[in-house]
Amino acid sequence: MSNNLLTPDDIVSCITALISRNKLWAGKNVRLFFIANQVSGCFTNKVKSEHYKRVFNREEKNLSDFPVCVKSISSKLFITEYAGHTKELTQAVITELIASNSPDTECVLISAGGDGTSLEVQTTLYKESQINQLKADVIKNQITILRLPLGTGNDGTDGHKIEETIELLKGQLTFTNSCAIKVYPENAPAEEQIKACGKNPKKYNPENPQAPWFAFNIASIGLDAYVVYMTNTVKQKIPGNFYHICVPLSGLVYDKDFKTGTATMEFFDKNGTKTDEITCPITLIAFGASGHRMYGGGHKVLPTNDNICYAPKVKLLRLIRDNSQFIDGSFAGTDLAYLKSGEKLRISYDQPILLQCDGEVAMLTKDHFPLIIEKTEKVLRTISSSN
């Protein structure tokens, strides 16, 4: 391997130096657990890998004159070796912390890989928190998740670029707990996987995970999910970030592959009270963990405090012409798309359609509907800027 390419050790060394010098962990015993996926593009793509290595090495060197403020710090690196290994490693970290019975110890769990690695770590933490109170307490109060933006989309990471994450770790921080977005068929058991059916969906064969599905940034159905699917498909054949190319291409062919259906959307508040009901042909529906959310590609689909966006069916020419408004968020206040707030969304729909959760795609058919998209309780412990 070239000495100019990023290695997991480069990440461990730099992130350890950053955390050991941040006052959020001052005077504390800190344990760092890194889960790295060495087949992700940050390690295998020459241009990306060399860039990341320069950034990590430079930042670590610049920190040498700043004092360490933690009481103690240790790090452990895990390398994923097969599908599902990230889940097992995350579970092992939880088990180890419970066994050590050290409530005064702070743990930081760092995902270092692509979008899938970050999503699997977070999904596992949420699911484990639902098993019993002991695990819930450890996950809420001892484990801080740090999601490095080393993938293609970087949905739901701490910063959209690694430079942003590093600046975050150099600043004043505070702990916060965040929710997940849970997506599931209302009338089907959570354990039951509904298989895609019909001629149209057979062309699309994402590896449908079992419901429920989880997202930690944005879950969406329709054109947005189609763009993600096309991006992932192209990326498998030609490494690189083709998101911005796939956006206009998807607009051109989406209607040919997916017949537009009419959606009925029912909105609910935190008390479970129904606040509105809207029925219309739709192009996309996006549901965020909060407002002021964007996709990793920089598209501001939720530019305000509202966490739900829905776009009624519009003519293809207008969709292509006004697509830039979804990049800068200027569609807000127009009839191109509408913004609303809600803790829960119930969607009825009569056509096959794609779902994406933080960059992972699943095929939905009419058997998945009514579909529930809702916020969970705030479980995952994250960091945010005090400013």
Side-chain angles (χ1 to χ4, degrees):
M1 178 181 291
S2 169
N3 291 332
N4 295 324
L5 296 181
L6 179 73
T7 68
D9 288 331
D10 293 323
I11 299 174
V12 171
S13 186
C14 180
I15 297 300
T16 301
L18 284 162
I19 290 177
S20 68
R21 289 165 171 80
N22 193 287
K23 293 182 179 179
L24 182 65
W25 291 279
K28 298 178 180 179
N29 297 309
V30 183
R31 300 176 67 185
L32 307 182
F33 295 89
F34 293 81
I35 298 179
N37 179 2
Q38 284 192 293
V39 300
S40 61
C42 62
F43 297 110
T44 60
N45 182 289
K46 186 175 185 294
V47 175
K48 284 185 178 181
S49 187
E50 290 180 346
H51 167 72
Y52 286 135
K53 187 179 184 72
R54 287 192 298 269
V55 171
F56 281 116
N57 290 351
R58 180 182 67 242
E59 290 300 330
E60 183 183 359
K61 183 178 180 180
N62 292 340
L63 289 167
S64 59
D65 293 333
F66 292 85
V68 171
C69 62
V70 297
K71 184 177 181 180
S72 68
I73 191 164
S74 63
S75 62
K76 183 179 290 188
L77 172 64
F78 298 105
I79 305 295
T80 60
E81 298 176 357
Y82 47 83
H85 199 193
T86 298
K87 174 183 175 180
E88 295 173 8
L89 293 172
T90 304
Q91 291 171 328
V93 170
I94 299 169
T95 301
E96 183 173 334
L97 286 175
I98 291 174
S100 66
N101 192 26
S102 302
D104 295 332
T105 298
E106 287 285 345
C107 166
V108 185
L109 179 55
I110 301 103
S111 63
D115 301 328
T117 302
S118 177
L119 180 59
E120 192 166 2
V121 168
Q122 294 176 91
T123 300
T124 303
L125 286 173
Y126 176 79
K127 288 183 175 180
E128 290 294 306
S129 75
Q130 304 302 296
I131 293 176
N132 57 52
Q133 191 59 48
L134 179 58
K135 287 188 174 183
D137 289 342
V138 168
I139 291 168
K140 288 181 181 180
N141 303 314
Q142 277 189 266
I143 300 178
T144 302
I145 177 73
L146 177 61
R147 303 151 295 187
L148 299 182
L150 299 174
T152 301
N154 295 326
D155 289 339
T157 53
D158 294 295
H160 294 294
K161 296 181 179 180
I162 193 60
E163 291 86 350
E164 294 178 20
T165 306
I166 289 172
E167 287 305 309
L168 178 69
L169 290 170
K170 289 162 67 175
Q172 295 182 351
L173 298 176
T174 185
F175 292 121
T176 185
N177 286 96
S178 59
C179 69
I181 302 168
K182 184 178 180 180
V183 185
Y184 59 95
E186 182 180 56
N187 299 324
E191 298 80 12
E192 179 181 333
Q193 180 178 358
I194 303 174
K195 295 182 179 179
C197 60
K199 294 181 180 180
N200 193 325
K202 286 185 177 179
K203 179 180 177 181
Y204 301 93
N205 189 32
E207 295 180 1
N208 275 23
Q210 280 184 257
W213 302 282
F214 292 91
F216 300 86
N217 185 43
I218 298 172
S220 64
I221 65 172
L223 180 58
D224 279 9
Y226 185 73
V227 171
V228 173
Y229 175 81
M230 285 192 66
T231 303
N232 291 346
T233 301
V234 173
K235 187 172 65 175
Q236 290 175 359
K237 299 177 181 178
I238 309 173
N241 186 357
F242 296 91
Y243 183 84
H244 292 288
I245 298 175
C246 289
V247 169
L249 290 178
S250 298
L252 289 172
V253 299
Y254 179 68
D255 286 343
K256 297 178 181 179
D257 289 337
F258 286 89
K259 181 179 178 181
T260 299
T262 297
T264 295
M265 297 167 283
E266 299 171 79
F267 301 82
F268 299 85
D269 63 19
K270 62 182 179 181
N271 298 317
T273 302
K274 185 175 174 179
T275 58
D276 201 357
E277 180 175 325
I278 297 169
T279 298
C280 65
I282 58 110
T283 298
L284 67 89
I285 303 171
F287 188 107
S290 67
H292 296 285
R293 296 268 173 169
M294 68 177 73
Y295 293 121
H299 286 211
K300 297 180 180 179
V301 69
L302 296 169
T304 68
N305 289 331
D306 295 306
N307 71 304
I308 301 173
C309 171
Y310 71 93
K313 177 64 179 174
V314 297
K315 292 184 178 180
L316 176 60
L317 288 178
R318 186 183 181 195
L319 183 64
I320 296 173
R321 185 193 70 189
D322 295 338
N323 173 67
S324 62
Q325 295 187 40
F326 284 100
I327 297 176
D328 61 15
S330 61
F331 70 86
T334 73
D335 63 352
L336 185 62
Y338 299 91
L339 295 164
K340 294 182 70 66
S341 292
E343 297 291 309
K344 175 181 173 181
L345 183 62
R346 183 178 187 268
I347 304 171
S348 299
Y349 196 68
D350 58 357
Q351 297 292 333
I353 196 167
L354 289 173
L355 161 75
Q356 76 82 27
C357 292
D358 288 355
E360 297 297 314
V361 181
M363 185 72 235
L364 302 180
T365 72
K366 62 181 181 180
D367 294 327
H368 287 91
F369 294 94
L371 187 75
I372 302 297
I373 308 179
E374 63 185 10
K375 294 182 185 180
T376 68
E377 70 275 26
K378 294 183 177 181
V379 171
L380 297 191
R381 193 188 197 205
T382 60
I383 55 171
S384 60
S385 172
S386 298
N387 299 322

mmCIF file of all heavy atoms in Angstrom, residues 51-75:
data_model
loop_
_atom_site.group_PDB
_atom_site.id
_atom_site.type_symbol
_atom_site.label_atom_id
_atom_site.label_comp_id
_atom_site.label_asym_id
_atom_site.label_seq_id
_atom_site.Cartn_x
_atom_site.Cartn_y
_atom_site.Cartn_z
ATOM 1 N N HIS A 51 -6.114 12.795 -0.160
ATOM 2 C CA HIS A 51 -6.604 14.053 0.418
ATOM 3 C C HIS A 51 -6.880 13.897 1.911
ATOM 4 O O HIS A 51 -6.439 14.720 2.722
ATOM 5 C CB HIS A 51 -7.871 14.499 -0.303
ATOM 6 C CG HIS A 51 -8.605 15.600 0.414
ATOM 7 N ND1 HIS A 51 -8.132 16.897 0.476
ATOM 8 C CD2 HIS A 51 -9.769 15.585 1.121
ATOM 9 C CE1 HIS A 51 -8.965 17.635 1.176
ATOM 10 N NE2 HIS A 51 -9.964 16.872 1.584
ATOM 11 N N TYR A 52 -7.591 12.833 2.259
ATOM 12 C CA TYR A 52 -7.915 12.617 3.672
ATOM 13 C C TYR A 52 -6.652 12.447 4.517
ATOM 14 O O TYR A 52 -6.567 12.937 5.641
ATOM 15 C CB TYR A 52 -8.814 11.399 3.828
ATOM 16 C CG TYR A 52 -10.243 11.616 3.382
ATOM 17 C CD1 TYR A 52 -10.899 10.662 2.604
ATOM 18 C CD2 TYR A 52 -10.941 12.757 3.755
ATOM 19 C CE1 TYR A 52 -12.218 10.849 2.193
ATOM 20 C CE2 TYR A 52 -12.249 12.945 3.341
ATOM 21 C CZ TYR A 52 -12.885 11.993 2.563
ATOM 22 O OH TYR A 52 -14.182 12.187 2.171
ATOM 23 N N LYS A 53 -5.684 11.730 3.972
ATOM 24 C CA LYS A 53 -4.436 11.511 4.726
ATOM 25 C C LYS A 53 -3.740 12.845 5.018
ATOM 26 O O LYS A 53 -3.273 13.076 6.132
ATOM 27 C CB LYS A 53 -3.497 10.588 3.960
ATOM 28 C CG LYS A 53 -2.244 10.178 4.768
ATOM 29 C CD LYS A 53 -1.357 9.243 3.979
ATOM 30 C CE LYS A 53 -0.176 8.759 4.810
ATOM 31 N NZ LYS A 53 -0.568 7.808 5.854
ATOM 32 N N ARG A 54 -3.693 13.714 4.004
ATOM 33 C CA ARG A 54 -3.069 15.020 4.207
ATOM 34 C C ARG A 54 -3.799 15.812 5.284
ATOM 35 O O ARG A 54 -3.176 16.443 6.145
ATOM 36 C CB ARG A 54 -3.052 15.815 2.891
ATOM 37 C CG ARG A 54 -2.050 15.308 1.870
ATOM 38 C CD ARG A 54 -1.884 16.316 0.734
ATOM 39 N NE ARG A 54 -3.144 16.531 -0.003
ATOM 40 C CZ ARG A 54 -3.505 15.833 -1.062
ATOM 41 N NH1 ARG A 54 -2.722 14.852 -1.520
ATOM 42 N NH2 ARG A 54 -4.638 16.100 -1.688
ATOM 43 N N VAL A 55 -5.138 15.771 5.242
ATOM 44 C CA VAL A 55 -5.934 16.527 6.214
ATOM 45 C C VAL A 55 -5.702 16.008 7.628
ATOM 46 O O VAL A 55 -5.417 16.785 8.555
ATOM 47 C CB VAL A 55 -7.438 16.459 5.858
ATOM 48 C CG1 VAL A 55 -8.274 17.062 6.985
ATOM 49 C CG2 VAL A 55 -7.709 17.187 4.552
ATOM 50 N N PHE A 56 -5.810 14.707 7.823
ATOM 51 C CA PHE A 56 -5.643 14.127 9.164
ATOM 52 C C PHE A 56 -4.223 14.361 9.698
ATOM 53 O O PHE A 56 -4.047 14.754 10.864
ATOM 54 C CB PHE A 56 -5.957 12.630 9.141
ATOM 55 C CG PHE A 56 -7.424 12.317 9.162
ATOM 56 C CD1 PHE A 56 -8.042 11.685 8.086
ATOM 57 C CD2 PHE A 56 -8.204 12.641 10.265
ATOM 58 C CE1 PHE A 56 -9.390 11.387 8.111
ATOM 59 C CE2 PHE A 56 -9.561 12.348 10.295
ATOM 60 C CZ PHE A 56 -10.156 11.726 9.211
ATOM 61 N N ASN A 57 -3.225 14.118 8.877
ATOM 62 C CA ASN A 57 -1.841 14.278 9.327
ATOM 63 C C ASN A 57 -1.515 15.740 9.639
ATOM 64 O O ASN A 57 -0.815 16.042 10.619
ATOM 65 C CB ASN A 57 -0.870 13.740 8.278
ATOM 66 C CG ASN A 57 -0.928 12.222 8.164
ATOM 67 O OD1 ASN A 57 -1.568 11.556 8.970
ATOM 68 N ND2 ASN A 57 -0.265 11.667 7.172
ATOM 69 N N ARG A 58 -2.015 16.639 8.811
ATOM 70 C CA ARG A 58 -1.765 18.069 9.047
ATOM 71 C C ARG A 58 -2.405 18.535 10.351
ATOM 72 O O ARG A 58 -1.791 19.245 11.148
ATOM 73 C CB ARG A 58 -2.301 18.889 7.874
ATOM 74 C CG ARG A 58 -2.092 20.401 8.041
ATOM 75 C CD ARG A 58 -2.684 21.189 6.881
ATOM 76 N NE ARG A 58 -4.131 21.116 6.846
ATOM 77 C CZ ARG A 58 -4.828 20.587 5.853
ATOM 78 N NH1 ARG A 58 -4.215 20.066 4.809
ATOM 79 N NH2 ARG A 58 -6.152 20.566 5.892
ATOM 80 N N GLU A 59 -3.643 18.141 10.568
ATOM 81 C CA GLU A 59 -4.348 18.573 11.769
ATOM 82 C C GLU A 59 -3.695 18.008 13.028
ATOM 83 O O GLU A 59 -3.576 18.700 14.038
ATOM 84 C CB GLU A 59 -5.814 18.156 11.704
ATOM 85 C CG GLU A 59 -6.626 18.917 10.682
ATOM 86 C CD GLU A 59 -6.656 20.408 10.940
ATOM 87 O OE1 GLU A 59 -6.561 20.814 12.126
ATOM 88 O OE2 GLU A 59 -6.782 21.182 9.972
ATOM 89 N N GLU A 60 -3.275 16.754 12.965
ATOM 90 C CA GLU A 60 -2.617 16.184 14.139
ATOM 91 C C GLU A 60 -1.320 16.926 14.465
ATOM 92 O O GLU A 60 -1.025 17.209 15.636
ATOM 93 C CB GLU A 60 -2.323 14.699 13.909
ATOM 94 C CG GLU A 60 -1.708 14.032 15.130
ATOM 95 C CD GLU A 60 -1.348 12.583 14.894
ATOM 96 O OE1 GLU A 60 -1.592 12.077 13.781
ATOM 97 O OE2 GLU A 60 -0.818 11.959 15.836
ATOM 98 N N LYS A 61 -0.577 17.274 13.446
ATOM 99 C CA LYS A 61 0.671 18.011 13.650
ATOM 100 C C LYS A 61 0.398 19.380 14.264
ATOM 101 O O LYS A 61 1.128 19.840 15.152
ATOM 102 C CB LYS A 61 1.408 18.162 12.316
ATOM 103 C CG LYS A 61 2.756 18.852 12.430
ATOM 104 C CD LYS A 61 3.442 18.918 11.066
ATOM 105 C CE LYS A 61 4.795 19.620 11.181
ATOM 106 N NZ LYS A 61 5.485 19.694 9.853
ATOM 107 N N ASN A 62 -0.665 20.040 13.820
ATOM 108 C CA ASN A 62 -0.997 21.369 14.327
ATOM 109 C C ASN A 62 -1.437 21.346 15.790
ATOM 110 O O ASN A 62 -1.416 22.386 16.464
ATOM 111 C CB ASN A 62 -2.106 21.995 13.477
ATOM 112 C CG ASN A 62 -1.646 22.339 12.069
ATOM 113 O OD1 ASN A 62 -0.446 22.464 11.821
ATOM 114 N ND2 ASN A 62 -2.585 22.488 11.157
ATOM 115 N N LEU A 63 -1.853 20.183 16.278
ATOM 116 C CA LEU A 63 -2.335 20.073 17.656
ATOM 117 C C LEU A 63 -1.213 19.872 18.671
ATOM 118 O O LEU A 63 -1.464 19.935 19.883
ATOM 119 C CB LEU A 63 -3.317 18.900 17.768
ATOM 120 C CG LEU A 63 -4.685 19.083 17.097
ATOM 121 C CD1 LEU A 63 -5.401 17.742 17.022
ATOM 122 C CD2 LEU A 63 -5.530 20.096 17.852
ATOM 123 N N SER A 64 -0.022 19.636 18.201
ATOM 124 C CA SER A 64 1.059 19.237 19.107
ATOM 125 C C SER A 64 1.367 20.277 20.179
ATOM 126 O O SER A 64 1.856 19.931 21.267
ATOM 127 C CB SER A 64 2.330 18.934 18.303
ATOM 128 O OG SER A 64 2.731 20.082 17.562
ATOM 129 N N ASP A 65 1.087 21.535 19.924
ATOM 130 C CA ASP A 65 1.387 22.590 20.898
ATOM 131 C C ASP A 65 0.263 22.835 21.892
ATOM 132 O O ASP A 65 0.414 23.640 22.816
ATOM 133 C CB ASP A 65 1.704 23.902 20.167
ATOM 134 C CG ASP A 65 2.994 23.824 19.366
ATOM 135 O OD1 ASP A 65 3.869 23.017 19.755
ATOM 136 O OD2 ASP A 65 3.114 24.545 18.365
ATOM 137 N N PHE A 66 -0.881 22.152 21.712
ATOM 138 C CA PHE A 66 -2.024 22.352 22.603
ATOM 139 C C PHE A 66 -2.021 21.281 23.693
ATOM 140 O O PHE A 66 -1.728 20.108 23.435
ATOM 141 C CB PHE A 66 -3.334 22.290 21.813
ATOM 142 C CG PHE A 66 -3.508 23.448 20.860
ATOM 143 C CD1 PHE A 66 -2.960 23.412 19.582
ATOM 144 C CD2 PHE A 66 -4.205 24.580 21.253
ATOM 145 C CE1 PHE A 66 -3.110 24.472 18.707
ATOM 146 C CE2 PHE A 66 -4.376 25.654 20.389
ATOM 147 C CZ PHE A 66 -3.820 25.600 19.112
ATOM 148 N N PRO A 67 -2.354 21.654 24.930
ATOM 149 C CA PRO A 67 -2.270 20.696 26.043
ATOM 150 C C PRO A 67 -3.387 19.656 26.031
ATOM 151 O O PRO A 67 -4.518 19.948 25.647
ATOM 152 C CB PRO A 67 -2.384 21.598 27.279
ATOM 153 C CG PRO A 67 -3.186 22.771 26.803
ATOM 154 C CD PRO A 67 -2.765 23.000 25.380
ATOM 155 N N VAL A 68 -3.043 18.448 26.451
ATOM 156 C CA VAL A 68 -4.040 17.395 26.667
ATOM 157 C C VAL A 68 -4.783 17.698 27.957
ATOM 158 O O VAL A 68 -4.167 18.041 28.974
ATOM 159 C CB VAL A 68 -3.353 16.016 26.745
ATOM 160 C CG1 VAL A 68 -4.338 14.944 27.189
ATOM 161 C CG2 VAL A 68 -2.727 15.659 25.403
ATOM 162 N N CYS A 69 -6.119 17.602 27.939
ATOM 163 C CA CYS A 69 -6.885 17.956 29.140
ATOM 164 C C CYS A 69 -7.672 16.790 29.730
ATOM 165 O O CYS A 69 -8.289 16.927 30.783
ATOM 166 C CB CYS A 69 -7.812 19.130 28.856
ATOM 167 S SG CYS A 69 -9.059 18.827 27.594
ATOM 168 N N VAL A 70 -7.671 15.626 29.072
ATOM 169 C CA VAL A 70 -8.376 14.475 29.638
ATOM 170 C C VAL A 70 -7.532 13.858 30.745
ATOM 171 O O VAL A 70 -6.307 14.035 30.793
ATOM 172 C CB VAL A 70 -8.676 13.410 28.562
ATOM 173 C CG1 VAL A 70 -9.612 13.955 27.500
ATOM 174 C CG2 VAL A 70 -7.390 12.883 27.933
ATOM 175 N N LYS A 71 -8.183 13.127 31.640
ATOM 176 C CA LYS A 71 -7.455 12.427 32.693
ATOM 177 C C LYS A 71 -6.700 11.241 32.109
ATOM 178 O O LYS A 71 -5.532 10.993 32.449
ATOM 179 C CB LYS A 71 -8.422 11.960 33.774
ATOM 180 C CG LYS A 71 -7.758 11.305 34.971
ATOM 181 C CD LYS A 71 -8.790 10.945 36.035
ATOM 182 C CE LYS A 71 -8.122 10.295 37.251
ATOM 183 N NZ LYS A 71 -9.138 9.952 38.291
ATOM 184 N N SER A 72 -7.371 10.500 31.238
ATOM 185 C CA SER A 72 -6.731 9.392 30.516
ATOM 186 C C SER A 72 -7.513 9.148 29.233
ATOM 187 O O SER A 72 -8.692 9.503 29.131
ATOM 188 C CB SER A 72 -6.715 8.114 31.372
ATOM 189 O OG SER A 72 -8.036 7.615 31.542
ATOM 190 N N ILE A 73 -6.843 8.548 28.260
ATOM 191 C CA ILE A 73 -7.525 8.243 27.001
ATOM 192 C C ILE A 73 -6.899 6.989 26.401
ATOM 193 O O ILE A 73 -5.676 6.790 26.449
ATOM 194 C CB ILE A 73 -7.448 9.422 26.008
ATOM 195 C CG1 ILE A 73 -8.384 9.187 24.819
ATOM 196 C CG2 ILE A 73 -6.023 9.695 25.556
ATOM 197 C CD1 ILE A 73 -8.652 10.445 24.000
ATOM 198 N N SER A 74 -7.742 6.117 25.878
ATOM 199 C CA SER A 74 -7.279 4.897 25.212
ATOM 200 C C SER A 74 -8.096 4.710 23.946
ATOM 201 O O SER A 74 -9.207 5.241 23.822
ATOM 202 C CB SER A 74 -7.442 3.674 26.125
ATOM 203 O OG SER A 74 -8.817 3.452 26.412
ATOM 204 N N SER A 75 -7.554 3.974 23.007
ATOM 205 C CA SER A 75 -8.267 3.749 21.751
ATOM 206 C C SER A 75 -8.180 2.290 21.340
ATOM 207 O O SER A 75 -7.191 1.606 21.617
ATOM 208 C CB SER A 75 -7.701 4.645 20.645
ATOM 209 O OG SER A 75 -6.347 4.341 20.401
#
